[in-house]
């Protein structure tokens, strides 16, 4: 008997693939230190330095990066725009490259990521294009441009951007994964499979690449291969519950109704747990203001804390404290998470 799904379940599965995913930040956009106190200390220190001397553009660029890391996208946009304006003022036409010149493409790239976080994709595309004009050999900028095009369903332009990115860096698993996704949407299943396999070869535990590979195998009715891919995806990322749903469907097509029912039951169980998290993420996307966003992040951290994902809880509480250093609930939650991780110091 075929497992039955309610309309709400089908809709929930469909929405899973539509949540906002920023292109992963390259190492150059990461800062030293990961503790909550370190984040607040850095923000405070950067603001103090800028208050004393607003011309320190490299400090403002660091502040913008921190804002981006804690998902304070509106604040990041403002900071990056100030970096760009100051760098443009300091640039001397005709001279060799200066620090100001190098700040400009980094700031436009960060600005694009911040606009993407705000779902202002046309603004993001414009920012990425400006970054590429200054630094055409940065693979991650071309990949981010491709992601923004894909978010607006402009798959031909997305594919062109990803082709440049993969030519510049053929060893980046995320680029291969994302160009594979675009090929799949355009019906190029052979190319999509090739890129997903390349992503997995680079990063064998890349769950979403295994998941997309399962979808491609299912399209070809290769049910045994699809089952294996979906299983690997779920093993590497239990939160990727759409893999369980599609695993149930693959078992059903393969003629194993008992296994299909088992996986569908697991999907329903995990979905019930994760639905509040997706609702919180949606609330965060709609919420404006640092204090209000910090409270939503506290709630997300509390979800991870209750679910036993302590490192993820720490990350969300860090973001909350970065947005609102006076959030008692965030400090309390992060202390509990650190305690569970036995990080007593």
């Amino acid at each position: 008997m075929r497992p039955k799904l309610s309309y709400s379940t089908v809709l929930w599965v469909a929405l899973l693939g539509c949540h906002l995913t920023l292109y992963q930040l390259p190492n150059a956009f990461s800062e030293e230190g990961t503790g909550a106190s370190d984040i607040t200390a850095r923000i405070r220190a950067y603001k103090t330095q800028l208050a004393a001397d607003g011309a320190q553009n490299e400090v403002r660029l660091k502040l913008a990066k921190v804002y981006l890391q804690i998902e304070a996208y509106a604040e990041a946009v403002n900071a990056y725009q100030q970096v760009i304006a100051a760098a443009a003022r300091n640039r001397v036409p005709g001279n060799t490259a200066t620090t100001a010149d190098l700040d400009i493409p980094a700031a436009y790239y960060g600005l694009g990521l911040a606009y993407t976080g705000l779902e202002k994709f046309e603004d993001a595309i414009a920012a990425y294009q400006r970054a590429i004009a200054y630094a055409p050999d940065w693979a991650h900028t071309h990949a981010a441009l491709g992601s923004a095009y894909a978010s607006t369903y402009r798959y031909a332009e997305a594919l062109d951007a990803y082709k440049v990115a993969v030519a510049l860096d053929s060893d980046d698993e995320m680029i291969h994964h994302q160009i594979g996704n675009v090929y799949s949407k355009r019906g190029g299943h052979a190319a999509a499979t090739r890129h997903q396999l390349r992503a997995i070869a680079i990063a064998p535990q890349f769950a979403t690449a295994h998941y997309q590979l399962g979808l491609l195998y299912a399209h070809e009715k290769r049910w045994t291969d699809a089952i294996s891919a979906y299983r690997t995806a779920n093993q590497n990322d239990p939160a990727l519950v759409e893999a369980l749903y599609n695993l149930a469907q693959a078992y059903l097509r393969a003629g194993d109704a008992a296994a299909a029912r088992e996986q569908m039951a697991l999907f329903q169980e995990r979905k019930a747990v994760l639905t509040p998290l997706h609702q919180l993420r949606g609330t965060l996307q709609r919420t404006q203001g640092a204090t209000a966003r910090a409270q939503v992040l506290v709630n997300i951290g509390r979800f991870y804390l209750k679910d036993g994902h302590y490192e993820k809880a720490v990350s969300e509480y860090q973001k909350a404290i970065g947005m609102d250093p006076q959030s008692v609930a965030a400090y309390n939650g992060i202390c509990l998470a650190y305690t569970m991780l036995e990080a007593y110091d």
Side-chain angles (χ1 to χ4, degrees), residues 91-243:
R91 189 170 185 269
V92 179
N95 280 14
T96 56
T98 65
T99 301
D101 293 320
L102 298 177
D103 287 347
I104 294 176
Y108 273 119
Y109 172 64
L111 180 62
L113 291 175
Y115 276 135
T116 300
L118 294 171
E119 297 188 346
K120 295 182 177 181
F121 297 115
E122 294 301 329
D123 290 331
I125 288 168
Y128 293 139
Q129 288 173 334
R130 294 297 300 275
I132 289 168
Y134 283 98
D137 58 346
W138 288 7
H140 57 263
T141 310
H142 290 278
L145 176 61
S147 179
Y149 277 134
S151 295
T152 57
Y153 309 103
R154 293 156 66 179
Y155 296 124
E157 291 96 328
L159 191 57
D160 288 340
Y162 279 127
K163 284 180 178 178
V164 176
V166 80
L168 289 169
D169 187 354
S170 61
D171 294 323
D172 187 307
E173 68 273 16
M174 184 61 74
I175 294 175
H176 283 287
H177 171 57
Q178 293 190 347
I179 193 174
N181 290 347
V182 174
Y183 270 120
S184 180
K185 290 180 182 299
R186 287 174 58 83
H189 295 101
T193 300
R194 184 174 67 253
H195 281 286
Q196 297 300 351
L197 287 171
R198 176 59 179 154
I200 291 168
I202 297 169
Q205 296 183 329
F206 193 172
T208 52
H210 285 286
Y211 172 68
Q212 290 296 328
L213 191 60
L215 295 177
L216 291 164
Y217 287 148
H219 178 79
E220 298 174 1
K221 297 182 171 55
R222 296 167 56 180
W223 303 119
T224 300
D225 291 331
I227 288 168
S228 176
Y230 291 141
R231 278 198 168 279
T232 303
N234 182 250
Q235 288 167 0
N236 288 323
D237 184 4
L240 193 64
V241 293
E242 54 264 56

Side-chain angles (χ1 to χ4, degrees), residues 273-288:
V273 173
L274 289 177
T275 294
L277 176 61
H278 287 279
Q279 292 172 338
L280 285 169
R281 290 291 183 193
T283 300
L284 181 64
Q285 196 67 33
R286 298 187 299 271
T287 301
Q288 302 296 320

Side-chain angles (χ1 to χ4, degrees), residues 4-26:
K4 294 182 179 179
L5 290 177
S6 66
Y7 172 77
S8 61
T9 297
V10 174
L11 180 62
W12 190 88
V13 173
L15 290 174
L16 280 171
C18 300
H19 58 80
L20 177 66
T21 302
L22 289 178
Y23 183 76
Q24 65 179 155
L25 298 179

Side-chain angles (χ1 to χ4, degrees), residues 299-318:
N299 292 335
I300 294 174
R302 186 179 296 119
F303 172 89
Y304 282 129
L305 190 64
K306 290 181 178 179
D307 206 34
H309 295 291
Y310 304 122
E311 291 182 353
K312 290 183 178 180
V314 166
S315 177
E316 300 303 325
Y317 285 128
Q318 286 173 345

